[in-house]
Amino acid sequence: MNFKLFSLLMVALSFSVIVSSCDKDDDETHDHDNEITINILEPAAGEIISDASHAHVHIEIEATDENHEIEIVLHPENDTNDKIIDHDQHSHDAKIVFEQDVDLSAYPSGTEFHLEVEACVDHDCEEKATEEVSFSIQ
């Protein structure tokens, strides 16, 4: 390998290390200012859903900078093992919209359900935003 080619490779490698370290610093700066707002639009807290065969779940997760990892779980109250919805998503969009229809008609009338939403505020998920609602079926 000639000396010019070796020097050129070393300069390119040094530049890539500097650029990647700047990107990490930028991410940490953005994460520090990032704010997450979780809006559970449907079902409403305390709502009694009359048509259990067609329960609509509608959630919007908005970040001032960007989202990272989100988790949405729906289960009967006091039974976290019976996950009706178990949704994990990694996205860097500023706004994430989740909508899904679920059939809850297999559960007895009056069953109460718990919907939990968790979103990572920073890339390493050291800080989280959470929101939850309980509702039932008629």
Side-chain angles (χ1 to χ4, degrees):
M1 179 181 297
N2 75 33
F3 182 73
K4 283 184 178 182
L5 181 59
F6 179 76
S7 297
L8 184 59
L9 287 172
M10 291 306 293
V11 169
L13 180 62
S14 298
F15 180 76
S16 68
V17 168
I18 291 169
V19 169
S20 67
S21 65
C22 290
D23 289 342
K24 178 76 171 148
D25 291 342
D26 288 345
D27 286 345
E28 288 173 2
T29 301
H30 291 298
D31 286 346
H32 181 68
D33 298 334
N34 198 30
E35 292 181 26
I36 303 287
T37 303
I38 300 170
N39 296 306
I40 300 176
L41 303 172
E42 292 181 76
E47 182 177 352
I48 299 171
I49 296 176
S50 58
D51 184 2
S53 66
H54 188 76
H56 187 69
V57 176
H58 182 182
I59 301 164
E60 293 181 357
I61 303 164
E62 296 184 65
T64 55
D65 185 30
E66 66 180 4
N67 278 290
H68 297 284
E69 187 80 27
I70 66 163
E71 183 176 1
I72 300 169
V73 177
L74 172 64
H75 60 83
E77 192 68 38
N78 300 321
D79 189 359
T80 57
N81 293 323
D82 184 6
K83 293 180 180 174
I84 301 159
I85 295 176
D86 188 10
H87 178 80
D88 292 306
Q89 180 177 346
H90 184 90
S91 173
H92 291 281
D93 294 335
K95 184 175 184 178
I96 298 172
V97 176
F98 176 87
E99 289 190 79
Q100 184 174 331
D101 291 324
V102 292
D103 183 357
L104 304 174
S105 61
Y107 296 91
S109 178
T111 300
E112 190 170 331
F113 297 90
H114 197 74
L115 178 62
E116 304 165 2
V117 183
E118 184 176 87
C120 295
V121 175
D122 54 45
H123 192 266
D124 295 330
C125 210
E126 292 176 0
E127 183 181 350
K128 298 177 183 180
T130 60
E131 194 66 45
E132 56 189 59
V133 296
S134 293
F135 63 95
S136 60
I137 56 174
Q138 196 171 39

